[in-house]
């Protein structure tokens, strides 16, 4: 396997893990063990890291993965903030 193939495998694994986390939070309304602040920071990192989508095009796979990362981060932050607010400790 080449480095590019391994990167694609890593991207798909990351998307799968994020979708499983979204499903867990959305279906069971259980966010125990998931930090809302950490997810907010992940979204900030993805948004700043992938701002190159506005002017640079490498491949359709690259664009799709970046859009999925941003969308899933927004969805997870929204779910954690509005659907399960009582599950978080207010520290």
């Amino acid at each position: 396997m080449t480095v590019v193939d391994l990167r694609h495998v890593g991207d798909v694994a990351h998307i799968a893990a994020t979708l499983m986390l979204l499903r867990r939070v959305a279906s069971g309304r259980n966010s125990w063990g998931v930090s809302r602040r950490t997810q907010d920071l992940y979204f900030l990192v993805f948004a700043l890291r992938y701002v190159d989508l506005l002017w640079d095009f490498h491949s359709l796979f690259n664009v799709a993965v970046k859009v999925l990362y941003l969308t899933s981060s927004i969805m997870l932050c929204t779910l954690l903030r509005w659907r399960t607010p009582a599950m978080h400790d207010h520290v």
Side-chain angles (χ1 to χ4, degrees), residues 14 27 37 43 51 67 70-71 76:
H14 185 193
S27 67
R37 290 179 188 153
F43 170 70
V51 73
V67 168
L70 289 170
T71 304
L76 192 53

Side-chain angles (χ1 to χ4, degrees), residues 14-60:
H14 185 193
I15 291 170
T18 303
L19 291 176
M20 286 189 284
L21 181 59
L22 275 168
R23 182 174 179 224
R24 176 182 151 203
V25 172
S27 67
R29 292 187 176 219
N30 181 1
S31 61
W32 188 258
V34 180
S35 170
R36 186 173 70 198
R37 290 179 188 153
T38 301
Q39 297 305 317
D40 290 342
L41 288 174
Y42 281 153
F43 170 70
L44 180 65
V45 167
F46 288 145
L48 294 175
R49 190 171 180 198
Y50 300 147
V51 73
D52 68 329
L53 280 173
L54 300 174
W55 62 79
D56 197 13
F57 179 83
H58 289 286
S59 70
L60 186 58

